[in-house]
């Protein structure tokens, strides 16, 4: 007891160096996901209602008798969350033919859930996509979609007001 009092008194007196921590092993475990990582349900049927809402949204963007060029321009400026897309060509042949509903649209990627309930992250750069809109398929280059969904012209204008 006397010795522990002595050590305690030394530390309280403000010794020159702080007490050293014991060297221990680093904890190795699962990495924590960043807060931006979201868990997406793995059920295609859940997202069919999202696709139906997207079709209504897109019909409101186009006029009744829209020609192909107007539909293409509307697709490039629209928010694509909920749209059905398919990869037509890509540098990576493994993702050609991937199709499904866009669940998440980031500046450089799409997260697509397919009918077999698989979620795939597809880069926009170097790919060409087909988007189903107003009963027709619109083919477009992924390079034209390299933008944040918040920076679509329709949304960007509404933020300036």
């Amino acid at each position: 007891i006397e010795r522990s009092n002595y050590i305690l008194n030394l530390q309280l007196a403000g010794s020159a160096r702080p007490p050293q921590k014991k060297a221990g092993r680093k904890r190795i475990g699962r990495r924590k996901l960043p807060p931006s990582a979201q868990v997406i349900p793995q059920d295609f049927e859940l997202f069919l209602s999202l696709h139906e809402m997207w079709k209504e949204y897109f019909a409101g963007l186009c006029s009744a008798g829209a020609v192909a060029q107007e539909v293409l321009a509307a697709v490039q400026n629209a928010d694509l969350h909920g749209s059905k897309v398919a990869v037509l060509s890509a540098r990576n042949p493994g993702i050609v033919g991937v199709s499904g509903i866009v669940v998440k649209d980031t500046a450089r990627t799409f997260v697509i859930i397919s009918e077999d309930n698989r979620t795939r992250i597809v880069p926009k750069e170097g790919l060409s996509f087909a988007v189903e809109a107003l009963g027709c398929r619109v083919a477009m280059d992924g390079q034209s979609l390299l933008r944040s969904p918040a920076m679509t012209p329709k949304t960007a204008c509404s933020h300036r007001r």
Side-chain angles (χ1 to χ4, degrees):
I1 296 178
E2 299 246 346
R3 184 167 184 202
S4 63
N5 270 343
Y6 177 70
I7 292 173
L8 181 61
N9 288 338
L10 263 178
Q11 289 177 356
L12 290 177
S15 61
R17 55 184 184 155
Q20 295 180 354
K21 295 181 180 178
K22 291 183 182 180
R25 290 189 288 176
K26 291 183 178 179
R27 297 180 92 185
I28 300 174
R30 298 178 82 181
R31 288 188 329 177
K32 290 186 177 179
L33 293 174
S36 63
Q38 299 172 357
V39 177
I40 298 171
Q42 299 286 321
D43 189 11
F44 181 78
E45 299 296 322
L46 291 174
F47 294 101
L48 285 176
S49 61
L50 177 66
H51 177 61
E52 293 300 319
M53 287 189 287
W54 184 84
K55 288 195 302 189
E56 291 174 17
Y57 155 75
F58 191 75
L61 291 179
C62 294
S63 59
V67 294
Q69 291 298 328
E70 292 174 359
V71 173
L72 176 62
V75 167
Q76 288 178 337
N77 294 330
D79 182 10
L80 295 177
H81 289 96
S83 63
K84 279 192 179 179
V85 298
V87 179
L88 297 177
S89 66
R91 292 182 205 149
N92 178 0
I95 59 176
V96 174
V98 170
S99 64
I101 297 174
V102 175
V103 175
K104 187 175 181 182
D105 181 6
T106 66
R108 299 191 179 274
T109 62
F110 283 133
V111 178
I112 299 172
I113 187 163
S114 59
E115 291 184 22
D116 60 351
N117 295 328
R118 290 186 58 195
T119 304
R120 295 175 176 92
I121 299 174
V122 179
K124 294 177 183 177
E125 190 172 3
L127 274 70
S128 62
F129 293 96
V131 179
E132 292 181 25
L134 299 177
C136 62
R137 290 179 64 143
V138 178
M140 59 185 2
D141 186 32
Q143 195 71 28
S144 64
L145 300 173
L146 287 177
R147 54 160 166 67
S148 172
M151 290 295 116
T152 57
K154 300 266 182 216
T155 341
C157 291
S158 65
H159 288 296
R160 291 183 192 151
R161 292 181 190 174

